[in-house]
Amino acid sequence: AYSVLLAPRPADWDARQKVTGYWTQPAPADYGPPPALAEFLAAGPPPVYVGFGSLLLGRNPAGVTRTLVEALGERRAVLFRGWGDVDDSVLPATIFATDAVPHAWLFPRVAAVVTHGGAGTVAAALRACVPPVVVPFFGDQRFWGAQVQRLGIGPPPIPRAALTAPALAGAIEHALSDTAMRQRAAALGAQLRAEEGAAVAAELIAQLV
């Protein structure tokens, strides 16, 4: 359930293995964001999204929160709490902490997506035509971060162990200011939106049964 636009089909697969494209679900038609979030988004230019899922803060929530605050500087940002214990006391007015919001609704309203590099979040950022800034923690996150760099649709990934405020600030600046990168991400996003991975998978299942 991924797109060959991001990673080619493995050469050692046989005809039984199919790549369908991402399985996506639009935001519910009746979805309404929390009023405070809607007000924050309307109050200024598109913010940066920062969200590492359940991996956000780890063993040092206050320290990582401070790193994020320092990296963002004066930039507006939406910070996804995930399962992490965000230290709200150090968040300036330019950073809005939120719980779950559908990516399909939120990401088209942000300027860049800072993420741990999960396959779904990277795809959601690109479908919204914004570059992902990948901070991989483990597993396939490293792979997707490397693919983002290889395709020139986001800055080089920053391994979690190397995450510092200057490194993240530089990556965010790169994602926001590199016009050619943003154009490549937008072009790939348009192609991804044209894919119907779930429909392809459903047709394959129907053929098998």
Side-chain angles (χ1 to χ4, degrees), residues 72-131:
L72 289 164
E74 299 299 317
R75 298 191 188 282
R76 286 163 41 85
V78 172
L79 173 60
F80 174 55
R81 291 189 178 94
W83 295 350
D85 182 19
V86 171
D87 184 359
D88 289 354
S89 67
V90 302
L91 297 183
T94 52
I95 300 179
F96 184 92
T98 185
D99 296 316
V101 176
H103 289 169
W105 182 90
L106 180 59
F107 285 3
R109 293 167 169 82
V110 304
V113 171
V114 180
T115 169
H116 57 303
T121 310
V122 168
L126 293 169
R127 285 174 59 86
C129 296
V130 296

Side-chain angles (χ1 to χ4, degrees), residues 18 27 38-40 63 69 73 80 82 97-100 102 128 144 154 164 167 173 175 180 188 191 196:
K18 308 292 184 180
E39 293 173 6
F40 178 81
V69 170
F80 174 55
T98 185
D99 296 316
W144 296 115
T164 64
E173 174 62 24
L188 181 60
Q191 292 178 279
E196 296 289 346

Side-chain angles (χ1 to χ4, degrees), residues 108-155:
R109 293 167 169 82
V110 304
V113 171
V114 180
T115 169
H116 57 303
T121 310
V122 168
L126 293 169
R127 285 174 59 86
C129 296
V130 296
V133 177
V134 179
V135 182
F137 285 63
F138 55 75
D140 69 317
Q141 298 162 9
R142 300 188 183 98
F143 174 79
W144 296 115
Q147 292 303 100
V148 164
Q149 179 182 8
R150 182 182 69 83
L151 294 171
I153 52 178

